[in-house]
Amino acid sequence: MTAKNIDVLLVGGGVMSATLGMLLKQLDPAMTITLVERLDHVAHESTDGWNNAGTGHAGYCELNYTPEDTDGNITIDRALAINASFEVTLQFWSYLVEQKILPEPPAFINPTPHQSFVWGEKDTEFLRRRHQLLSAHHLFADMQFSDSAAQISEWMPLVMNKRDPKEAVAATRVDFGSDVDFGSLTRSMVKHLEKTDNFDLWLSHSVNSLKKSKRGHWRVAVQDEKTGEEKMLNAKFVFLGAGGGSLPLLQKSHIDESEGYGGFPVSGQWLVCKNPDIVSQHHSKVYGKAPTGAPPMSVPHLDTRIINGEPALLFGPFAGFTTKFLKKGSVFDLFSSVKPYNVAPMMAVGRDNMDLTRYLIAESFQSHKDRVASLRNFFPEANEKNWKLQDAGMRVQIIKKDAKGHGKLEFGTEIVAAKDGTLAALLGASPGASTAVQAMIDVLERCFKDRISSPEWQARMKELVPSYGQSLIKDAELLKQVRSRTLGTLQLRR
């Protein structure tokens, strides 16, 4: 069978592949790129608006990004890194808006204050110390704190209405947070890519196998899901950005770097309210503390959402156990991912995370009444009749060997790349889409080393992301410059 020769194969039609494709086309318009998507449309698994929280993750409100150890010490390093990464994402989006490549910002991003809310003496003291640490850094200098019920009532009236006035409460707030419709964003990027030369979009196509040729290229067998026809691609570089489907494809590649990795799938559900009388009373993303044993994706939050232009409120997520790696996957996904090299780490994770297992089982058996009872921690007057349950996307948490060869459950995202730079995969979940641009820049630096170090690509990267090559964590003046531009361009100032 004759194979089609291409420079780059992107597997998976989500925000990661679209972002990498957009970066590469901006750097080298002549590059030949094929994007393969298993479904008949792009951005309808984890990237779809209803399959994720839509939070522009910047560490402002997500308490799990600032963990507290048993001695009461709070670590802010991860929050700083995520915030800086999101600033990189905002810079690239700003460039695409300025160039009319993306539509007007309200089509995919809207200003939504990011707030944390806790109750009880212990947690209010935690939030106070967290604010002191974060606000001392220039990335978080605009964060406000209050333990005044009156002030918090102005910030989040729906949350405070009818709450016990004797209860200790505290909140933080950043006004220029965002709600992002990653589905609309991704579809806009792919729509633009389709108009460029040397770009092909293959919908309803699945990757059956990947094999390295003697020339160092990847011979990839792709099947047309509608006709059953098998096609061959000969790609110089392959990116696996298929969400939960990335791990099985990475295993099919048989690169040395894939050994030891496993996956722990977690399903999710939201309570959704579209009653305009209620929706109009809340304009914020309000995050609380996760229950003991819960994965980070299960941090409870009450969110304003605007998806495809339609406003709604969302509460959750409610996690559950599944053996599927994708929402439209197979119940055999988990079992088929077990290999001789990862069975020990996976068993160790199961043994060492019994509290997580118990939590997921309990979540799976919750009734609608139970879920609304959880909602009332954030919305005391919530009525069951106004809230409907909706399935969210699947998240496959990373299982990998630690330094001692034992299994370890990772709750972030991770790039796995072949040592020769011909293949890369993105594994994991949160913060995911919000840091897509930084993640894909990392792919470029690991897999296109010679080209991105060239004067031409270095200059172009500075146009796409003005802070490229510099540290927003260390440089306060640089942050001031780029943030002023992005908040204006993306209309995030209120």
Side-chain angles (χ1 to χ4, degrees):
M1 185 183 299
T2 302
K4 178 182 178 181
N5 295 315
I6 58 175
D7 293 316
V8 173
L9 171 62
L10 305 173
V11 183
V15 66
M16 294 295 175
S17 291
T19 299
L20 182 56
M22 187 67 76
L23 282 167
L24 287 170
K25 275 297 181 181
Q26 293 299 313
L27 291 165
D28 182 0
M31 191 171 286
T32 55
I33 301 175
T34 297
L35 191 158
V36 173
E37 167 55 46
R38 185 174 57 93
L39 302 179
D40 60 3
H41 38 226
V42 299
H44 276 266
E45 271 282 353
S46 296
T47 299
D48 182 71
W50 288 115
N51 287 344
N52 58 72
T55 302
H57 288 299
Y60 295 134
C61 55
E62 308 91 336
L63 302 181
N64 56 304
Y65 294 160
T66 51
E68 182 180 22
D69 65 22
T70 54
D71 294 326
N73 300 308
I74 299 172
T75 304
I76 67 170
D77 292 352
R78 189 173 184 220
L80 297 179
I82 289 172
N83 189 284
S85 292
F86 188 56
E87 290 290 343
V88 169
T89 292
L90 294 179
Q91 289 175 69
F92 186 52
W93 292 350
S94 294
Y95 173 84
L96 296 179
V97 168
E98 291 165 347
Q99 299 300 313
K100 309 298 183 185
I101 292 171
L102 285 178
E104 285 297 299
F108 67 93
I109 188 170
N110 287 276
T112 308
H114 282 196
Q115 305 188 101
S116 300
F117 176 73
V118 297
W119 55 92
E121 296 292 344
K122 180 181 178 181
D123 287 344
T124 55
E125 180 58 25
F126 161 78
L127 195 63
R128 186 190 315 276
R129 290 187 293 114
R130 177 183 187 268
H131 171 259
Q132 289 173 346
L133 290 168
L134 286 175
S135 62
H137 195 281
H138 57 268
L139 285 169
F140 291 86
D142 294 293
M143 178 182 284
Q144 305 171 69
F145 171 86
S146 180
D147 57 5
S148 163
Q151 176 64 77
I152 298 172
S153 293
E154 292 183 16
W155 288 350
M156 49 184 87
L158 205 68
V159 173
M160 292 299 291
N161 195 27
K162 300 296 183 181
R163 188 172 293 276
D164 184 353
K166 297 179 181 179
E167 185 177 40
V169 293
T172 57
R173 177 183 175 94
V174 173
D175 285 328
F176 49 79
S178 59
D179 174 68
V180 185
D181 182 349
F182 288 106
S184 294
L185 167 72
T186 300
R187 286 186 282 275
S188 292
M189 287 197 288
V190 173
K191 184 177 180 180
H192 172 79
L193 287 171
E194 286 187 277
K195 296 177 183 177
T196 64
D197 293 335
N198 304 314
F199 179 87
D200 290 315
L201 174 63
W202 289 7
L203 297 174
S204 301
H205 282 72
S206 297
V207 172
N208 285 341
S209 65
L210 304 92
K211 188 176 181 180
K212 194 78 168 290
S213 70
K214 293 181 179 179
R215 294 177 56 199
H217 297 171
W218 287 94
R219 188 172 176 84
V220 185
V222 180
Q223 184 172 356
D224 187 324
E225 294 289 340
K226 293 183 177 179
T227 66
E229 177 190 1
E230 187 170 79
K231 307 172 183 178
M232 298 300 297
L233 291 170
N234 190 43
K236 296 177 183 177
F237 171 74
V238 175
F239 173 68
L240 305 177
S246 291
L247 177 61
L249 291 170
L250 179 63
Q251 292 175 332
K252 287 182 179 181
S253 73
H254 298 294
I255 63 173
D256 294 340
E257 292 78 5
S258 69
E259 293 192 6
Y261 281 93
F264 186 90
V266 179
S267 63
Q269 293 177 309
W270 307 111
L271 285 178
V272 177
C273 174
K274 297 184 179 181
N275 184 324
D277 293 334
I278 298 173
V279 173
S280 63
Q281 298 179 56
H282 185 79
H283 184 71
S284 176
K285 289 183 178 290
V286 178
Y287 275 60
K289 291 197 77 174
T292 301
M297 64 163 281
S298 295
V299 172
H301 45 98
L302 178 63
D303 291 359
T304 294
R305 296 302 312 273
I306 301 176
I307 300 175
N308 299 321
E310 181 183 6
L313 290 186
L314 172 154
F315 178 75
F318 298 96
F321 179 73
T322 177
T323 56
K324 291 184 177 182
F325 279 2
L326 292 165
K327 195 170 183 178
K328 296 186 179 181
S330 166
V331 294
F332 298 106
D333 286 343
L334 174 59
F335 308 109
S336 61
S337 74
V338 178
K339 307 296 181 184
Y341 54 73
N342 67 14
V343 64
M346 293 179 72
M347 290 179 67
V349 164
R351 180 195 65 222
D352 298 338
N353 290 271
M354 290 305 297
D355 56 346
L356 173 58
T357 302
R358 286 190 291 268
Y359 170 81
L360 295 176
I361 292 172
E363 286 275 290
S364 299
F365 285 99
Q366 278 194 327
S367 65
H368 185 62
K369 185 176 181 179
D370 293 331
R371 294 186 178 98
V372 174
S374 298
L375 166 62
R376 290 193 181 114
N377 288 320
F378 289 79
F379 178 17
E381 293 189 295
N383 187 318
E384 294 178 26
K385 296 179 181 179
N386 292 318
W387 297 81
K388 305 296 182 185
L389 191 66
Q390 180 159 326
D391 289 335
M394 300 295 176
R395 297 292 184 270
V396 179
Q397 312 295 342
I398 304 168
I399 294 175
K400 60 185 292 187
K401 289 181 180 179
D402 60 19
K404 297 180 180 180
H406 302 149
K408 182 181 179 183
L409 190 59
E410 298 279 348
F411 287 111
T413 51
E414 184 166 335
I415 294 167
V416 181
K419 57 180 176 292
D420 64 359
T422 60
L423 182 144
L426 187 97
L427 304 179
S430 181
S434 299
T435 58
V437 177
Q438 183 60 63
M440 295 305 98
I441 290 175
D442 290 346
V443 169
L444 293 177
E445 292 177 339
R446 294 176 65 176
C447 300
F448 294 81
K449 292 180 181 179
D450 292 340
R451 300 205 65 184
I452 201 164
S453 62
S454 68
E456 295 79 12
W457 276 34
Q458 285 285 306
R460 186 67 173 130
M461 282 300 303
K462 281 286 190 179
E463 295 177 10
L464 304 177
V465 179
S467 71
Y468 178 70
Q470 303 170 81
S471 173
L472 291 172
I473 295 177
K474 296 178 180 179
D475 194 331
E477 184 58 34
L478 178 62
L479 172 72
K480 182 179 179 181
Q481 293 172 13
V482 300
R483 188 173 278 175
S484 176
R485 173 206 177 204
T486 59
L487 294 184
T489 301
L490 298 175
Q491 302 173 26
L492 296 178
R493 287 197 185 96
R494 301 187 67 202

